[in-house]
Amino acid sequence: MVVYHYTSKRKMRRKWVKNWLARRDLFGHMPLLKQLNENEPNDLKNYLRMSKTDFDRLLDLLRPRITKQDTVMRQAIPAEERLIATGKSYEDLKFSTGIAAQTLGSIIPETCKAIYEILQDTYMKVPQTSKDWKEVANGFKDRWQMINCGGCIDGKHIRICQPARSSALYYNYKNFYSIVLMAIVNHNYELIYVDVGKQGRISDGGVIQATTFYRRLQNETLNLPKPMDCEEDLNVVFIGDAAFSIEEHVLKPFPQKSLNYERRIYNYRLSMARNVVENAFGLIASRFRILQTSINVNPNDTNYIVLAICTLHNFLIKHNSSYVKPTSENSETQDTEDIDVSGQLFPLQNCKK
């Protein structure tokens, strides 16, 4: 008779927390940030991606929402550390913050969601009345010499790592995986409407048609001014690029192959106004460096990261006069016009009929 002997290996007990993580007050980045605040404010600003004044203002707004209670098991991570722990990958942040990657995976999306939900009503509000839309249109007229413009529309592909079991749903025409940030931007580079999360394989024209903004535009519930109340008795319009379809309230450039003198000037005037959305995306990508890498979290958490970035962009425009510098604005000189950094158009010189 054969006798089988079954043995079991006793699983070693794991530590509750690693020693160096428990000593984040010594090994984390908070002692360094304290030194920077006292001695090198410019380095602190570079680390935070905003001034200490702006950071403190933001922290005061978020503190009631992101402050957690201590328990008998451990002390809660303070609100200040939760707000600072943003950027790069969770594994990289683990070593700079002294917070476990699993904990960061909970803290960062939660904090980003709080940033968006608390700031959106003040800093990213869609115009609600005819008067609000006319203020936007007057801004485009005064700054960019485009009448009756309610905003510029464009999409930005946010690079992500391929989500599990997603096949090619997020694979875009640029040959990487992404979600789409669809935004409407006013004359001052502020995002007045955003939609985030559509799969990268969908075109900009398809994404805009799936938004609540487009449905309200089609249903005429945006409270846009009547043509009789606008310049030249014309509709309020939104400007897009060639990816969008031309409609009653949507304008786009003429194709390059069918340009004459008048259409060339029309395209250039349209381009001058539409550059605000391109420049806004450029400001966001340069300030929030996570957008320059592939975001490696699940798509739902990525959505809140991007929404938080959009609201922080508007927050900084409102409170930081140096956030948008003259070099951030359109300073190109094209064949048709000479332009200064303020966007002022000078007389046409080189256009020929």
Side-chain angles (χ1 to χ4, degrees), residues 52 72 93-94 108 172 228 230 268 335:
K52 185 62 165 59
V72 295
L93 277 172
K94 176 177 72 175
I108 290 177
N172 63 36
M228 65 185 68
C230 299
Y268 184 76
D335 291 340

Side-chain angles (χ1 to χ4, degrees), residues 109-272:
E110 181 181 284
T111 303
C112 288
K113 182 177 181 180
I115 290 172
Y116 171 66
E117 291 180 347
I118 290 173
L119 298 186
Q120 65 167 326
D121 288 341
T122 303
Y123 296 98
M124 195 166 63
K125 187 176 182 180
V126 179
Q128 299 296 312
T129 66
S130 175
K131 181 181 178 181
D132 294 338
W133 287 112
K134 289 183 71 173
E135 288 179 0
V136 176
N138 289 336
F140 273 102
K141 178 184 176 182
D142 295 339
R143 191 167 186 178
W144 304 107
Q145 292 76 56
M146 173 62 66
I147 65 170
N148 300 335
C149 182
C152 298
I153 309 172
D154 203 3
K156 177 178 176 60
H157 285 271
I158 307 298
R159 189 184 293 264
I160 63 172
C161 294
Q162 181 184 11
R165 297 181 295 278
S166 64
S167 186
L169 285 176
Y170 292 88
Y171 197 72
N172 63 36
Y173 70 96
K174 297 182 179 181
N175 299 321
F176 61 85
Y177 294 93
S178 68
I179 60 172
V180 180
L181 164 62
M182 182 61 58
I184 300 175
V185 180
N186 69 10
H187 61 283
N188 197 38
Y189 305 103
E190 295 172 279
L191 283 64
I192 57 177
Y193 175 85
V194 296
D195 180 271
V196 182
K198 303 295 189 298
Q199 297 97 332
R201 67 182 181 85
I202 305 175
S203 67
D204 287 353
V207 171
I208 192 66
Q209 291 180 11
T211 63
T212 56
F213 168 83
Y214 186 82
R215 288 194 290 271
R216 291 184 62 190
L217 182 64
Q218 296 299 304
N219 296 335
E220 299 183 354
T221 57
L222 284 174
N223 297 321
L224 298 176
K226 302 296 183 183
M228 65 185 68
D229 298 323
C230 299
E231 297 277 341
E232 306 292 338
D233 293 335
L234 298 174
N235 290 331
V236 168
V237 295
F238 298 90
I239 299 173
D241 60 16
F244 299 94
S245 59
I246 191 166
E247 301 181 18
E248 181 181 5
H249 292 284
V250 179
L251 292 183
K252 69 175 186 177
F254 284 104
Q256 290 294 315
K257 63 182 180 181
S258 62
L259 293 182
N260 55 23
Y261 174 73
E262 290 80 7
R263 290 182 176 185
R264 188 181 180 190
I265 294 179
Y266 164 86
N267 276 6
Y268 184 76
R269 296 290 179 174
L270 212 67
S271 176
M272 276 295 299

Side-chain angles (χ1 to χ4, degrees), residues 209-343:
Q209 291 180 11
T211 63
T212 56
F213 168 83
Y214 186 82
R215 288 194 290 271
R216 291 184 62 190
L217 182 64
Q218 296 299 304
N219 296 335
E220 299 183 354
T221 57
L222 284 174
N223 297 321
L224 298 176
K226 302 296 183 183
M228 65 185 68
D229 298 323
C230 299
E231 297 277 341
E232 306 292 338
D233 293 335
L234 298 174
N235 290 331
V236 168
V237 295
F238 298 90
I239 299 173
D241 60 16
F244 299 94
S245 59
I246 191 166
E247 301 181 18
E248 181 181 5
H249 292 284
V250 179
L251 292 183
K252 69 175 186 177
F254 284 104
Q256 290 294 315
K257 63 182 180 181
S258 62
L259 293 182
N260 55 23
Y261 174 73
E262 290 80 7
R263 290 182 176 185
R264 188 181 180 190
I265 294 179
Y266 164 86
N267 276 6
Y268 184 76
R269 296 290 179 174
L270 212 67
S271 176
M272 276 295 299
R274 203 185 68 80
N275 272 343
V276 297
V277 67
E278 300 288 354
N279 291 341
F281 287 158
L283 285 166
I284 288 171
S286 64
R287 180 57 61 102
F288 303 97
R289 301 294 176 82
I290 192 173
L291 298 182
Q292 298 178 10
T293 64
S294 296
I295 302 177
N296 190 18
V297 300
N298 69 68
N300 187 59
D301 288 346
T302 302
N303 293 345
Y304 280 115
I305 290 172
V306 176
L307 288 170
I309 287 172
C310 292
T311 48
L312 286 174
H313 165 78
N314 288 357
F315 173 86
L316 291 174
I317 287 179
K318 291 289 189 184
H319 296 291
N320 190 338
S321 59
S322 65
Y323 178 59
V324 180
K325 299 178 181 178
T327 53
S328 301
E329 303 190 17
N330 187 348
S331 58
E332 295 181 0
T333 299
Q334 299 189 13
D335 291 340
T336 54
E337 311 210 21
D338 292 324
I339 313 150
D340 69 5
V341 294
S342 66

